[in-house]
Amino acid sequence: MSSRFVAGMSVEEVLTVCARVNHENIAATLDSLGESVTTEAEAQKSADIYHQLLDAIEARKLNANVSVKLSQIGMDFDPALTERIAGEMVAHAHRVHSFVRIDMEGSPYTEATIAMTERLAKQYPGAVGTVLQAYLYRTATDTERLLQQGIRIRLCKGAYKEGPDIAFPAKADVDANYVNLMKRVATYSNPQTHTGVFCGIATHDEVIVNHMRHFVSKQKIDQRAFEFQMLYGVRRDLQRRLAAEGYGVRVYIPFGPEWYPYFMRRLAERPANAIFLLKNFFKN
Ligand code: FDA
């Protein structure tokens, strides 16, 4: 079952899957799965895979970028090392006209992730962005903060367990916040340059996806001013439909030998995911 959601063990396998996805007119972001690392050598080893990916994306002309978690490149034991490694990755992406998305982890990482993204974006504008989670109260403020700097946001609901002191406990409130933030990123225009910020609407929630479709059509927002993002293997029917309608669609493709903890954590973090996985296993 995992092979539906994880694109194999090796770089070669994920590149093959990426080419297949691209063939359906769907872009990709490649995620080399890894657990939190505890040594500099492990952090560098994780980064080396990303450098290989960036080279291969360029050489094969794939429509893809990469997504990385800071804990995978040393954030738990040496943030300065992490920033050096992340900086090298973003510099590489900048050189080959690609992009590094810094995934967002649990709330202990939120501020540090945003701040590091801001510093890297100053050095390499357009080559790095991060993820904001609609379940956090602080996200409305963070959205303004990143938009004003022209930093690309992937907007998601949030996948970690957070307390009611910092996150909306009720799903309905998370969904409502998501919709508000989604409209904000879609309509933002820099007062000086009059340009928007290209953002990712990362959700499989069809109600929200439809809300966005109607909103952009009513507001006459260019379909290509943003993209929908979904996980590899989840709601493939919806991914294809949106791509056929002319929307930008990007799938997040995880791969690597460390798939098992990733897969189990997703199930454990949100037990409902087990049901989603089963239900979607039988959907196209
Ligand atoms: P919601 O959970 O409300 O589900 C709505 C519907 O979508 C379900 O009824 C089901 O049909 C379908 N669905 C949702 N998840 C599914 C699944 N796993 N399998 C099958 N069907 C599913 N989180 C985070 O904290 N940091 C991050 O960096 C990222 N990055 C990220 C990238 C991309 C491209 C996506 C799509 C998601 C993330 N996430 C994330 C995860 C995100 O925060 C969230 O946990 C999941 O996307 C589930 O929320 P939905 O918005 O899809 O809706």
Side-chain angles (χ1 to χ4, degrees):
M1 198 162 124
S2 65
S3 68
R4 165 126 186 199
F5 304 99
V6 178
M9 300 294 129
S10 65
V11 166
E12 198 48 48
E13 280 173 297
V14 76
L15 293 171
T16 305
V17 169
C18 179
R20 205 166 61 224
V21 164
N22 283 175
H23 195 68
E24 296 183 9
N25 211 11
I26 293 176
T29 186
L30 310 182
D31 167 38
S32 167
L33 291 171
E35 289 301 281
S36 297
V37 301
T38 53
T39 66
E40 181 171 348
E42 285 173 330
Q44 193 57 58
K45 203 171 141 211
S46 300
D48 291 346
I49 298 176
Y50 280 98
H51 287 290
Q52 271 184 53
L53 290 172
L54 287 167
D55 281 335
I57 287 168
E58 189 198 17
R60 301 184 191 195
K61 301 193 175 10
L62 294 169
N63 185 359
N65 59 37
V66 295
S67 289
V68 65
K69 289 183 177 52
L70 293 184
S71 65
Q72 214 181 323
I73 50 171
M75 197 63 177
D76 293 329
F77 65 95
D78 189 347
L81 167 78
T82 305
E83 188 148 348
R84 179 178 62 71
I85 290 178
E88 287 163 2
M89 282 170 52
V90 176
H92 188 166
H94 192 253
R95 224 169 32 246
V96 299
H97 311 291
S98 188
F99 178 81
V100 176
R101 175 78 60 185
I102 302 184
D103 283 346
M104 188 57 81
E105 300 178 72
S107 54
Y109 297 90
T110 310
E111 181 54 36
T113 303
I114 293 173
M116 195 181 294
T117 305
E118 289 172 329
R119 289 191 294 273
L120 294 173
K122 277 210 177 74
Q123 275 181 280
Y124 305 105
V128 63
T130 189
V131 181
L132 295 180
Q133 299 152 322
Y135 62 17
L136 294 182
Y137 303 138
R138 61 174 286 165
T139 293
T141 309
D142 292 336
T143 301
E144 296 306 316
R145 176 174 164 184
L146 292 184
L147 287 175
Q148 276 160 24
Q149 297 172 82
I151 296 176
R152 282 158 63 169
I153 297 167
R154 171 198 294 153
L155 182 64
C156 69
K157 290 188 189 175
Y160 297 81
K161 209 167 177 55
E162 306 289 1
D165 49 327
I166 58 166
F168 293 101
K171 185 174 178 341
D173 292 331
V174 178
D175 291 356
N177 197 37
Y178 191 102
V179 169
N180 286 337
L181 296 168
M182 172 178 89
K183 290 180 177 168
R184 178 63 184 151
V185 298
T187 50
Y188 175 80
S189 174
N190 181 295
Q192 268 97 50
T193 59
H194 304 288
T195 51
V197 180
F198 185 84
C199 288
I201 303 303
T203 183
H204 314 96
D205 188 329
E206 203 165 349
V207 173
I208 292 184
V209 167
N210 286 335
H211 200 115
M212 185 66 167
R213 286 168 66 243
H214 294 133
F215 181 71
V216 296
S217 141
K218 211 163 126 206
Q219 301 284 322
K220 303 203 179 346
I221 295 166
D222 185 348
Q223 269 189 329
R224 289 279 164 172
F226 68 96
E227 66 188 8
F228 287 110
Q229 298 187 353
M230 298 189 201
L231 301 178
Y232 175 66
V234 178
R235 292 306 311 265
R236 290 189 298 197
D237 56 338
L238 185 55
Q239 294 171 16
R240 288 177 186 146
R241 205 166 353 117
L242 290 168
E245 284 176 23
Y247 292 101
V249 179
R250 183 178 302 274
V251 290
Y252 183 106
I253 313 184
F255 76 101
E258 297 205 46
W259 65 270
Y260 186 77
Y262 163 86
F263 189 68
M264 295 313 286
R265 201 173 49 242
R266 285 202 82 90
L267 298 188
E269 269 162 11
R270 302 189 78 218
N273 271 352
I275 300 159
F276 291 154
L277 292 175
L278 282 171
K279 269 201 315 207
N280 279 274
F281 190 66
F282 299 104
K283 268 193 185 171
N284 220 350

